[in-house]
Amino acid sequence: MLEKAPDAAGNWPDEPRNPYVNDPDDYGYLHHIYTVDQPETPHLVYEWRKLLDDFRKENGGDERILMVETWSPINIVMEYYGNATAEGAQIPFNFQMISYLWNDSDAYHYAILINEWLNMMPAGRTANWVVGNHDKNRVGTRFGADRIDMFNMLLLTLPGCSITYNGEEIGMTDVWISWEETVDPQACNGHEDGYEYRSRDPARTPFQWSDEKNSGFSDGDKTWLPVSPNYKMENLKRQRGIARSHLNVFKELQNLRHEETLREGSTEVKAFSHDVLGVKRSLANDYTYITLMNIFDSQQVVNLNDAFKNLPAEFEYVVLSDKSIRRKGDKVASSRIELLPKEAVVLRSIVKV
């Protein structure tokens, strides 16, 4: 971390108080205007990138990837990609959907956040998408367990790098952790009152491998954090045998990413309405893919041609969530797609266009 330099007398500036936080042990007690987002910080990343590139020149091998975790405003995050004279991180984490999407965000809100990143990203760089991580409540807790597949479809059909936090592929949700079991310093360094708000432990519980002791994570007497009480039913081993489990939907999406259109195709992200978001991936002389998300609780009917141009008349279902009554391979007219509440699907054109 870089911070603002002292004045001529050698005095370091004090950061101003945040009047909305009264706990002096809370990070938010101060406005960190002198220790966060200093202009020199991206340039330090440029130096690290040069170090990695020089190492590769000398030793060969695959390109070394530099990731940067920054919760900065989007215009500052873009600086970490590099500038006209220096390369930066290949993947400065895109936390826009973590920071600015809420349970009641509508399709227009989703489209604005996604397109803002795509439009601001420097030419020739790779996009990345993060919805879950170790610092925030799990996706299924923030947005509802009935939207888990929806978010995996969104992340894995957008262009670039999808970043999945361990456990999101099987739809893990937060686990309540008592004060006595809490180990996150962010919570433990404060008072018991309000610890649940500060603690990140609920999203950090052991991965649920199976229905065995400690969810198959450990054969010890106990784990660092308690295992979720739902691990007997929600675990990787059980989901392997369920056709439309979170795990198998995730695996189908990963396989789909090998398709040329998903790897190299252009992207359009548009809201059909308050409820429905669409992501179109297209490539000349190849199949067109469209992801549809019905975000809320009412049945919706959409005409793909209302948002996207030059579409063939017919599509087929290639990935479906457990909300769907359709089957993979079923055909549907592009002019009329029916979506059940909180249904998400990936469609592929019948013909190459």
Side-chain angles (χ1 to χ4, degrees), residues 67 91-94 128-132 155-156 161-165:
M67 299 182 177
I91 304 175
F93 281 153
N94 174 3
N128 72 87
W129 313 97
V130 188
V131 177
L155 252 66
L156 291 165
C161 177
S162 66
I163 298 167
T164 300
Y165 176 49

Side-chain angles (χ1 to χ4, degrees), residues 283-317:
L283 186 66
N285 303 314
D286 211 328
Y287 295 107
T288 295
Y289 290 84
I290 294 181
T291 301
L292 292 175
M293 299 166 42
N294 183 13
I295 298 168
F296 298 113
D297 289 317
S298 62
Q299 188 166 333
Q300 298 291 318
V301 177
V302 298
N303 180 345
L304 298 182
N305 303 288
D306 289 343
F308 303 122
K309 297 179 179 179
N310 303 319
L311 294 179
E314 198 173 29
F315 280 74
E316 65 177 328
Y317 292 90

Side-chain angles (χ1 to χ4, degrees), residues 101-114:
L101 277 185
W102 297 277
N103 188 51
D104 60 352
S105 294
D106 63 25
Y108 296 105
H109 192 174
Y110 283 70
I112 288 169
L113 285 180
I114 295 168

Side-chain angles (χ1 to χ4, degrees), residues 188-252:
C188 295
N189 290 342
H191 303 289
E192 180 176 355
D193 182 37
Y195 85 93
E196 291 169 290
Y197 170 76
R198 297 189 304 273
S199 178
R200 298 163 296 181
D201 287 336
R204 298 177 173 185
T205 55
F207 187 87
Q208 293 158 217
W209 290 102
S210 70
D211 59 0
E212 299 168 358
K213 177 184 176 182
N214 293 325
S215 70
F217 182 84
S218 169
D219 59 6
D221 293 334
K222 61 178 297 187
T223 50
W224 176 247
L225 288 169
V227 173
S228 171
N230 73 0
Y231 81 91
K232 291 281 187 181
M233 293 298 292
E234 295 297 336
N235 60 72
L236 181 142
K237 181 179 179 180
R238 180 172 180 269
Q239 288 191 21
R240 280 178 173 158
I242 301 173
R244 291 189 188 173
S245 66
H246 301 309
L247 174 67
N248 284 324
V249 169
F250 187 89
K251 290 168 72 173
E252 287 182 344

Side-chain angles (χ1 to χ4, degrees), residues 49 52-53 56 60-66 87-90:
R49 174 64 184 273
L52 291 181
D53 289 348
R56 185 188 184 195
D62 294 332
E63 180 180 357
R64 275 66 175 182
I65 301 298
L66 184 61
E87 294 286 344
Q90 292 95 333

Side-chain angles (χ1 to χ4, degrees), residues 43-279:
H43 294 271
L44 179 61
V45 173
Y46 304 163
E47 293 179 22
W48 292 344
R49 174 64 184 273
K50 185 177 186 306
L51 181 67
L52 291 181
D53 289 348
D54 288 347
F55 182 88
R56 185 188 184 195
K57 288 177 182 177
E58 295 174 12
N59 298 279
D62 294 332
E63 180 180 357
R64 275 66 175 182
I65 301 298
L66 184 61
M67 299 182 177
V68 175
E69 181 175 356
T70 170
W71 295 91
S72 305
I74 188 170
N75 60 306
I76 294 176
V77 177
M78 291 298 161
E79 295 181 19
Y80 287 95
Y81 271 120
N83 58 28
T85 60
E87 294 286 344
Q90 292 95 333
I91 304 175
F93 281 153
N94 174 3
F95 290 144
Q96 300 301 298
M97 286 193 277
I98 282 187
S99 299
Y100 302 115
L101 277 185
W102 297 277
N103 188 51
D104 60 352
S105 294
D106 63 25
Y108 296 105
H109 192 174
Y110 283 70
I112 288 169
L113 285 180
I114 295 168
N115 285 315
E116 183 179 40
W117 185 276
L118 292 173
N119 293 333
M120 292 185 67
M121 187 175 63
R125 308 296 178 173
T126 300
N128 72 87
W129 313 97
V130 188
V131 177
N133 86 337
H134 65 283
D135 286 326
K136 298 294 182 181
N137 301 102
R138 285 193 174 275
V139 171
T141 297
R142 296 203 321 274
F143 297 104
D146 49 4
R147 288 177 175 165
I148 289 168
D149 295 332
M150 180 185 299
F151 274 96
N152 283 335
M153 286 188 191
L154 178 62
L155 252 66
L156 291 165
T157 56
L158 284 170
C161 177
S162 66
I163 298 167
T164 300
Y165 176 49
N166 124 82
E168 304 292 7
E169 68 273 49
I170 62 169
M172 287 177 59
T173 51
D174 284 6
V175 178
W176 181 78
I177 310 292
S178 70
W179 169 248
E180 291 73 24
E181 294 172 309
T182 296
V183 293
D184 182 6
Q186 184 169 287
C188 295
N189 290 342
H191 303 289
E192 180 176 355
D193 182 37
Y195 85 93
E196 291 169 290
Y197 170 76
R198 297 189 304 273
S199 178
R200 298 163 296 181
D201 287 336
R204 298 177 173 185
T205 55
F207 187 87
Q208 293 158 217
W209 290 102
S210 70
D211 59 0
E212 299 168 358
K213 177 184 176 182
N214 293 325
S215 70
F217 182 84
S218 169
D219 59 6
D221 293 334
K222 61 178 297 187
T223 50
W224 176 247
L225 288 169
V227 173
S228 171
N230 73 0
Y231 81 91
K232 291 281 187 181
M233 293 298 292
E234 295 297 336
N235 60 72
L236 181 142
K237 181 179 179 180
R238 180 172 180 269
Q239 288 191 21
R240 280 178 173 158
I242 301 173
R244 291 189 188 173
S245 66
H246 301 309
L247 174 67
N248 284 324
V249 169
F250 187 89
K251 290 168 72 173
E252 287 182 344
L253 292 164
Q254 287 285 8
N255 289 333
L256 199 64
R257 286 170 65 82
H258 294 291
E259 296 295 321
E260 198 70 16
T261 301
L262 273 293
R263 293 172 63 88
E264 305 292 343
S266 61
T267 305
E268 294 178 63
V269 180
K270 294 185 179 180
F272 286 86
S273 64
H274 170 273
D275 294 75
V276 180
L277 181 76
V279 177

